[in-house]
Amino acid sequence: MSKIALITGATSGIGAACAHLFAAQGYHLILLARREERLTEIAKHLEDKYAIEVKKIIADVRDHEDLSYRLDTLPASWKKVNVLINNAGLSQGLDPIDKGNFADWDTMIDTNVKGLLYTTKIVSNWMVAQKSGHIINIGSIAGQEVYPNGNVYCATKHAVDALNKSMRIDLLPHGIRVTAINPGMVETEFSKVRFKGDESRAKKVYDGLEPLVANDIAEAIWFAVSRPAHVNINDMLIMPTAQATATIIDRN
Ligand SMILES: NC(=O)c1ccc[n+]([C@@H]2O[C@H](COP(=O)([O-])OP(=O)(O)OC[C@H]3O[C@@H](n4cnc5c(N)ncnc54)[C@H](OP(=O)(O)O)[C@@H]3O)[C@@H](O)[C@H]2O)c1
């Protein structure tokens, strides 16, 4: 069997772009997300276009019992995962700390931190057994800086940065590579999800600047993965040219 990549959050944005790019490179794919119809459409398109095999996992990364069951019951040949892309994640709301919403906070912490941990624990066991693998953690500029009202989302991405560094240490004896990819603004469904379907508010985020597109991030991930086995890219911070920091943006 050729190489296998497992991508969480593969129904949209960065995860979907990675699925396309890795399929084009001949990888078989395990694609995970909650929206079944979309995942089925993407899987079929990639299988037809690239003559690869795709296993779909309809799951919520927050539910560790269901996640463990679905991943554990994969056939043994599919557990020889070469690349895990911990991409599933989201932001909910943009409120000052005193006005924050408990449910939004729980969703972000449970998905971005705990979901990433659950997936990593399961898949890193397979990688330890085979003494190889590459884990890509999708962090953010929000994991390097904080910005007004970004409080809990920024905290989750700072946690991803800490986990990325910790994993690199813990998995060092097993020959497993660990990389964080930290994007600035990427135009995906991210802002629509953050503003709970408010399309016009989401669009305003990108007003007057050229944001990154999902494929820019997929290509950076591919760069890290395609280095020779002795090279580990620890992290990459990738910004639109028009964005200097989380908050300093040239809109014209
Ligand atoms: N866009 C940006 O500006 C930006 C910048 C820095 C970092 N990031 C990070 O990049 C990653 C991808 O975001 P994106 O911009 O590509 O956003 P997106 O277009 O909204 O995609 C998010 C993906 O995550 C999946 N997902 C969300 N919650 C999930 C859950 N509980 N279980 C399983 N899958 C779940 C979604 O699929 P389902 O809804 O089908 O489950 C979707 O496929 C996130 O970690 C985000 O924090 C984005």
Side-chain angles (χ1 to χ4, degrees), residues 4 53 64 70 74 94 128 133 136 140 173 195 209 214:
I4 299 172
E53 285 177 54
H64 66 78
R70 287 177 193 281
L74 280 169
L94 192 63
V128 166
I136 305 283
S140 173
F195 300 127
L209 84 141

Side-chain angles (χ1 to χ4, degrees), residues 8-16 32-36 38 59-62 86-91 111-112 138-142 153 157 181-191 193 206 214:
T8 68
T11 45
S12 168
I14 296 168
L32 186 150
R34 296 165 301 176
R35 284 171 289 179
E36 182 166 11
R38 273 216 202 184
D60 186 324
V61 292
R62 292 172 294 179
N86 275 323
N87 165 75
L90 79 181
S91 181
T111 309
N112 301 357
I138 306 300
S140 173
I141 179 68
Y153 179 67
K157 290 300 184 179
I181 301 289
N182 300 313
M185 278 185 183
V186 191
E187 192 165 8
T188 61
E189 292 179 10
F190 180 84
S191 293
V193 171
Y206 312 107

Side-chain angles (χ1 to χ4, degrees), residues 3 6 11-12 15 25 45 52 65-66 82 110 117 121 123 128 144 158 172 186 197 200 214 233:
K3 290 188 169 178
L6 192 164
T11 45
S12 168
Q25 295 292 339
H45 172 74
I52 53 141
E65 275 177 24
D66 185 61
N82 303 89
D110 290 351
L117 276 170
K121 169 163 177 176
V123 178
V128 166
Q144 313 291 306
H158 275 70
L172 186 67
V186 191
S200 70
I233 306 286

Side-chain angles (χ1 to χ4, degrees), residues 1-6 22 25-30 52-53 78 80-83 177 222 225-227:
M1 201 164 185
S2 55
K3 290 188 169 178
I4 299 172
L6 192 164
F22 277 73
Q25 295 292 339
Y27 272 67
H28 297 306
L29 300 173
I30 304 169
I52 53 141
E53 285 177 54
W78 278 92
K80 297 191 164 86
V81 168
N82 303 89
V83 179
R177 299 196 285 176
W222 178 251
V225 167
S226 59
R227 292 312 84 212

Side-chain angles (χ1 to χ4, degrees), residues 10-233:
T11 45
S12 168
I14 296 168
C18 289
H20 282 265
L21 198 150
F22 277 73
Q25 295 292 339
Y27 272 67
H28 297 306
L29 300 173
I30 304 169
L31 301 182
L32 186 150
R34 296 165 301 176
R35 284 171 289 179
E36 182 166 11
E37 208 173 302
R38 273 216 202 184
L39 200 64
T40 302
E41 217 173 274
I42 290 170
K44 187 174 174 343
H45 172 74
L46 296 178
E47 284 185 326
D48 291 348
K49 186 164 181 190
Y50 298 109
I52 53 141
E53 285 177 54
V54 180
K55 282 265 179 233
K56 290 176 295 171
I57 302 207
I58 311 301
D60 186 324
V61 292
R62 292 172 294 179
D63 181 347
H64 66 78
E65 275 177 24
D66 185 61
L67 186 73
S68 301
Y69 171 76
R70 287 177 193 281
L71 291 176
D72 285 345
T73 51
L74 280 169
S77 60
W78 278 92
K79 291 182 181 166
K80 297 191 164 86
V81 168
N82 303 89
V83 179
L84 164 64
I85 305 179
N86 275 323
N87 165 75
L90 79 181
S91 181
Q92 290 276 270
L94 192 63
D95 303 308
I97 205 87
D98 54 308
K99 302 276 186 302
N101 175 303
F102 290 146
D104 287 349
W105 292 357
D106 286 345
T107 303
M108 289 187 277
I109 293 167
D110 290 351
T111 309
N112 301 357
V113 183
K114 292 162 74 180
L116 179 143
L117 276 170
Y118 300 153
T119 314
T120 302
K121 169 163 177 176
I122 298 162
V123 178
S124 65
N125 268 286
W126 305 341
M127 290 179 169
V128 166
Q130 71 196 13
K131 284 211 144 298
S132 70
H134 196 158
I135 299 174
I136 305 283
N137 295 308
I138 306 300
S140 173
I141 179 68
Q144 313 291 306
E145 299 174 29
V146 290
Y147 53 84
N149 304 330
N151 42 59
V152 176
Y153 179 67
C154 294
T156 66
K157 290 300 184 179
H158 275 70
V160 171
D161 186 51
L163 289 170
N164 185 68
K165 289 172 179 147
S166 310
M167 280 181 211
R168 173 108 178 85
I169 295 168
D170 295 351
L171 298 172
L172 186 67
H174 306 289
I176 296 167
R177 299 196 285 176
V178 181
T179 299
I181 301 289
N182 300 313
M185 278 185 183
V186 191
E187 192 165 8
T188 61
E189 292 179 10
F190 180 84
S191 293
K192 197 175 133 194
V193 171
R194 166 170 254 173
F195 300 127
K196 300 172 182 168
D198 183 339
E199 304 249 13
S200 70
R201 194 171 175 201
K203 264 214 147 336
K204 279 203 188 88
V205 172
Y206 312 107
D207 260 0
L209 84 141
E210 184 175 351
L212 298 170
V213 295
N215 194 52
D216 296 324
I217 303 306
E219 284 182 350
I221 293 169
W222 178 251
F223 176 81
V225 167
S226 59
R227 292 312 84 212
H230 70 283
V231 179
N232 189 85
I233 306 286

